[in-house]
């Protein structure tokens, strides 16, 4: 049996075509359901279908190339057919998570505003300070501050305190 006969035999079997279509469909669904699981399952189904449906190495590579080209074309068409509004709103999270809404990426350090502490490392401009026996990350306002200097917290940026050396 020639390579072309084997390949066309693969595409004439409805069971293999159904599995192949399912795998490609799952890969396309991955665009809308991020996480990688659905696409990975689809890829495994496609790979297993090709492995078990072809009889020679040449058939395997030929069918794999055709399936890859077909999948890329289908993905391109799916992306083109998605309305622009859905691309903007449906595929990506565009909501901002702010502190005013109750979201926080870490501990609220605003408690330390206007508190005094000591530098435990050189701040050039970032380093460690100690306030009330608590070791904290800090950044100097604009200058280098030597170790064991008295500082005051003048601001908070994320999980870092902004400090100024006390005179």
């Amino acid at each position: 049996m020639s390579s072309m006969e084997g390949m066309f035999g693969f595409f004439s079997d409805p069971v293999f075509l159904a599995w192949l279509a399912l795998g490609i469909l799952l890969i396309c669904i991955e665009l809308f359901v991020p996480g990688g699981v659905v696409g990975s399952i689809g890829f495994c189904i496609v790979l297993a279908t090709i492995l078990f449906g072809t009889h020679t190495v040449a058939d395997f590579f030929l069918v794999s190339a055709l399936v890859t080209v077909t999948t890329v074309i289908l993905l391109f068409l799916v992306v083109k057919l998605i309305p622009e509004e859905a691309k903007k709103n449906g595929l990506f999270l565009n909501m901002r998570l702010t502190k005013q809404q109750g979201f926080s990426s870490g501990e609220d350090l605003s408690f330390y505003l206007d508190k005094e502490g000591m530098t435990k490392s050189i701040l050039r401009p970032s380093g460690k300070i100690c306030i009330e026996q608590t070791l904290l990350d800090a950044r100097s306002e604009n200058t280098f501050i030597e170790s064991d200097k008295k500082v005051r917290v003048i601001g908070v940026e994320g999980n870092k305190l902004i400090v100024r050396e006390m005179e």
Side-chain angles (χ1 to χ4, degrees):
M1 173 163 43
S2 75
S3 181
M4 290 303 270
E5 289 172 0
M7 182 185 72
F8 288 120
F10 175 86
F11 287 113
S12 65
D13 186 342
V15 173
F16 285 115
L17 284 177
W19 280 108
L20 195 62
L22 175 65
I24 292 173
L25 177 67
L26 290 176
I27 291 170
C28 290
I29 289 174
E30 180 65 32
L31 286 174
F32 305 101
V33 184
V37 175
V38 175
S40 297
I41 292 171
F43 175 77
C44 290
I45 289 173
V46 168
L47 184 63
T49 302
I50 295 171
L51 279 172
F52 293 119
T54 56
H55 301 292
T56 67
V57 174
D59 287 346
F60 173 78
F61 285 113
L62 194 56
V63 171
S64 295
L66 286 171
V67 168
T68 301
V69 169
T70 303
T71 303
V72 168
I73 290 170
L74 283 174
L75 286 172
F76 178 76
L77 290 174
V78 166
V79 168
K80 281 294 187 189
L81 293 175
I82 297 172
E84 287 299 317
E85 190 65 29
K87 288 179 190 175
K88 291 178 189 170
N89 297 331
L91 294 179
F92 304 102
L93 177 64
N94 57 5
M95 180 176 59
R96 291 192 119 7
L97 306 176
T98 63
K99 187 182 268 188
Q100 290 79 13
Q101 294 173 318
F103 296 102
S104 174
S105 62
E107 181 183 354
D108 182 19
L109 299 176
S110 60
F111 166 78
Y112 292 105
L113 277 172
D114 293 323
K115 298 246 181 191
E116 296 177 4
M118 293 291 287
T119 59
K120 291 299 175 183
S121 67
I122 300 172
L123 301 185
R124 48 179 142 189
S126 293
K128 299 283 186 184
I129 66 169
C130 184
I131 300 176
E132 300 171 354
Q133 289 82 37
T134 304
L135 195 60
L136 302 160
D137 289 320
R139 180 176 64 81
S140 66
E141 187 176 28
N142 287 323
T143 60
F144 295 117
I145 302 175
E146 294 294 324
S147 185
D148 294 321
K149 297 287 185 175
K150 204 167 190 182
V151 292
R152 178 184 300 275
V153 178
I154 59 168
V156 177
E157 280 184 7
N159 63 347
K160 273 199 175 167
L161 301 174
I162 310 302
V163 297
R164 180 182 296 152
E165 186 174 5
M166 297 180 65
E167 301 296 324

